[in-house]
Amino acid sequence: MAQLTVKDLTLGYEGKAIISGLDFSVDAGDYLCIVGENGSGKSTLMRTLLRLQSPISGTIETGDGLRRDEIGYLPQQSAVQRDFPASVREVVLSGCLSRIGGRPWYGKAEKAIAVESMEKMDITHLAKRCYRELSGGQQQRVLLARALCATRKMLLLDEPVAGLDPRVTAEMYSLIKRLNREDGITIIMITHDVAAGLDNANKILHVGAELFFGTKEEYLASPVSRGFSATEGGEA
């Protein structure tokens, strides 16, 4: 049974469609990369999947025991977010907000989850550091740990390596791959790096003038992939 099923989805703003007739599904343990031209609606799709924006039409269904509040999210960082004046521990712990219900404080269970998430991202030694004093790569590890506090089932990542240098980019991709392969967390990731996406993903969703959803092998053999590579130079 699919964790996430999208049927005949049309999305956009103020009734103006950006993407129409989109159908795809994601199973537990999948690694789905979303690619497409700039402005093709990739980030809009992710916000719609997270219920931060309503679709114009169509349906988004969760299944296989996945609740809507069990989806972790790593958005693109803004300048304001990079300058957030809180400790690493506080930022990571804030990912547990959906777990505390009506309580005005974090309990032992949430604090233990935060500790485990920091350990997975190898940032325990940074727990007392101010978030805004960290490097870009360290900040992304903190935000990924925060997203892990919200879920052990599915992560949505919006260009998680944007602005990082090649070494840190490779480390981030390795961390994400490990979460998928070793921890069984379903990954849905927007990426502009098609080569890296194809290297790690088992499914590809291409949005834009043409839509495609299928396996990595099917995508590489499709005219959508060949046309995209030729016109965009491999960027999404």
Side-chain angles (χ1 to χ4, degrees), residues 1 19 24 32 36 44 54 61 121 126 130 136 139 152 178 183 185-186 188 193-194 205 211 217-218:
M1 183 178 182
I19 300 174
F24 68 93
L32 171 69
T44 302
S54 298
E61 302 172 357
M121 294 297 104
L126 301 174
C130 182
Q139 287 187 345
R152 285 296 183 270
R178 190 176 72 198
D183 296 341
I185 297 175
T186 305
I188 300 178
D193 187 346
V194 176
L205 174 64
L211 299 177
E217 293 75 20
E218 290 169 341

XYZ file of all heavy atoms in Angstrom, residues 1 19 24 32 36 44 54 61 121 126 130 136 139 152 178 183 185-186 188 193-194 205 211 217-218:
198
model
N 0.841 -1.200 0.000
C 0.000 0.000 0.000
C 0.874 1.248 0.000
O 1.883 1.314 0.709
C -0.914 0.008 1.234
C -1.871 1.177 1.304
S -2.935 1.076 2.759
C -3.936 2.535 2.493
N 0.749 23.194 -12.674
C 0.828 21.780 -13.029
C -0.584 21.223 -13.072
O -1.383 21.501 -12.176
C 1.663 20.985 -12.000
C 3.086 21.517 -11.911
C 1.683 19.491 -12.349
C 3.919 20.878 -10.806
N 0.916 10.312 -9.221
C 2.059 9.500 -8.813
C 1.802 8.932 -7.419
O 0.905 9.387 -6.696
C 3.369 10.298 -8.830
C 3.489 11.380 -7.788
C 4.089 11.130 -6.559
C 3.023 12.671 -8.046
C 4.216 12.118 -5.609
C 3.149 13.670 -7.096
C 3.744 13.398 -5.872
N 12.328 9.258 -3.970
C 11.778 9.939 -5.140
C 12.449 11.285 -5.316
O 12.463 12.107 -4.394
C 10.271 10.136 -4.977
C 9.581 11.030 -6.020
C 9.567 10.352 -7.386
C 8.173 11.400 -5.586
N 12.882 19.180 -12.834
C 12.145 19.961 -13.817
C 12.782 21.324 -13.980
O 13.652 21.725 -13.206
N 6.148 24.499 -5.337
C 4.702 24.613 -5.138
C 4.097 23.242 -4.885
O 3.226 23.074 -4.023
C 4.042 25.259 -6.369
O 4.629 26.538 -6.605
C 2.544 25.425 -6.162
N -3.418 24.812 -0.759
C -4.493 23.941 -1.246
C -4.348 23.713 -2.743
O -4.006 24.636 -3.489
C -5.858 24.563 -0.959
O -6.060 24.704 0.437
N -3.619 11.636 -0.890
C -4.013 10.701 0.153
C -2.787 10.071 0.804
O -1.815 9.739 0.127
C -4.895 9.590 -0.439
C -6.158 10.100 -1.121
C -6.901 9.008 -1.865
O -6.382 7.864 -1.890
O -7.981 9.278 -2.411
N 22.909 12.859 12.935
C 23.498 13.889 12.079
C 24.892 14.300 12.532
O 25.483 15.219 11.968
C 22.580 15.123 12.043
C 21.234 14.892 11.385
S 21.377 14.442 9.637
C 21.053 12.670 9.727
N 27.622 20.090 18.916
C 27.220 21.465 18.614
C 25.977 21.897 19.398
O 25.493 23.014 19.213
C 26.924 21.618 17.117
C 28.061 21.306 16.148
C 27.539 21.363 14.716
C 29.223 22.272 16.340
N 25.242 28.462 19.116
C 24.179 29.261 18.505
C 24.056 28.882 17.031
O 25.063 28.833 16.311
C 24.488 30.746 18.645
S 23.198 31.821 17.963
N 27.211 26.767 6.726
C 26.022 26.359 5.980
C 25.768 24.868 6.068
O 24.621 24.415 6.235
N 24.451 24.002 9.530
C 23.057 24.418 9.659
C 22.115 23.420 8.979
O 21.043 23.096 9.512
C 22.863 25.813 9.063
C 23.446 26.925 9.913
C 23.106 28.299 9.384
O 22.670 28.463 8.237
N 23.293 29.322 10.208
N 9.751 9.363 11.547
C 10.676 8.273 11.244
C 10.164 7.545 10.003
O 10.563 6.434 9.710
C 10.784 7.294 12.416
C 11.604 7.801 13.596
C 13.057 8.018 13.212
N 13.886 8.435 14.352
C 14.094 9.679 14.701
N 13.515 10.656 14.010
N 14.875 9.984 15.723
N 21.775 7.374 3.651
C 21.821 6.476 4.803
C 20.473 6.427 5.522
O 20.027 5.356 5.950
C 22.915 6.932 5.776
C 23.200 5.939 6.892
C 24.354 6.421 7.728
N 23.971 7.558 8.559
C 24.835 8.393 9.115
N 26.138 8.267 8.886
N 24.411 9.391 9.875
N 17.724 3.374 7.647
C 16.609 3.627 8.557
C 15.247 3.432 7.903
O 14.227 3.484 8.591
C 16.698 5.047 9.118
C 17.936 5.267 9.968
O 18.522 4.257 10.417
O 18.320 6.425 10.192
N 13.605 5.377 5.889
C 12.784 6.578 5.781
C 12.548 6.903 4.308
O 13.484 6.942 3.511
C 13.454 7.766 6.481
C 13.586 7.484 7.981
C 12.678 9.053 6.250
C 14.335 8.544 8.747
N 11.317 7.116 3.944
C 10.963 7.493 2.579
C 11.437 8.920 2.311
O 11.207 9.824 3.110
C 9.446 7.411 2.377
O 8.991 6.097 2.728
C 9.058 7.712 0.940
N 11.449 12.192 -0.342
C 10.944 12.928 -1.509
C 11.768 14.206 -1.580
O 11.684 15.056 -0.689
C 9.448 13.249 -1.389
C 8.628 11.961 -1.261
C 8.977 14.070 -2.590
C 7.129 12.204 -1.078
N 20.337 19.059 -9.049
C 21.468 18.222 -9.437
C 20.928 16.877 -9.933
O 20.798 15.923 -9.172
C 22.393 18.027 -8.240
C 23.679 17.298 -8.596
O 23.745 16.720 -9.698
O 24.606 17.294 -7.768
N 20.607 16.809 -11.203
C 19.985 15.612 -11.755
C 20.888 14.393 -11.618
O 20.440 13.297 -11.304
C 19.592 15.832 -13.233
C 19.030 14.554 -13.835
C 18.561 16.949 -13.340
N 10.190 11.924 -10.580
C 9.023 12.692 -11.006
C 9.532 13.940 -11.710
O 10.247 14.742 -11.117
C 8.160 13.086 -9.809
C 6.978 14.015 -10.113
C 5.963 13.342 -11.029
C 6.305 14.485 -8.824
N 5.069 15.850 -18.263
C 5.102 15.171 -16.974
C 5.612 13.745 -17.156
O 5.323 13.094 -18.158
C 3.703 15.120 -16.348
C 3.036 16.467 -16.042
C 1.630 16.241 -15.499
C 3.865 17.276 -15.044
N 15.323 3.952 -14.319
C 15.659 3.356 -15.608
C 14.684 3.805 -16.695
O 15.093 4.111 -17.825
C 15.668 1.836 -15.490
C 16.779 1.264 -14.614
C 16.530 1.461 -13.116
O 15.358 1.692 -12.731
O 17.508 1.402 -12.339
N 13.404 3.857 -16.355
C 12.396 4.305 -17.319
C 12.609 5.773 -17.688
O 12.443 6.159 -18.847
C 10.998 4.106 -16.733
C 10.578 2.646 -16.622
C 9.316 2.462 -15.796
O 8.960 3.378 -15.020
O 8.682 1.399 -15.926
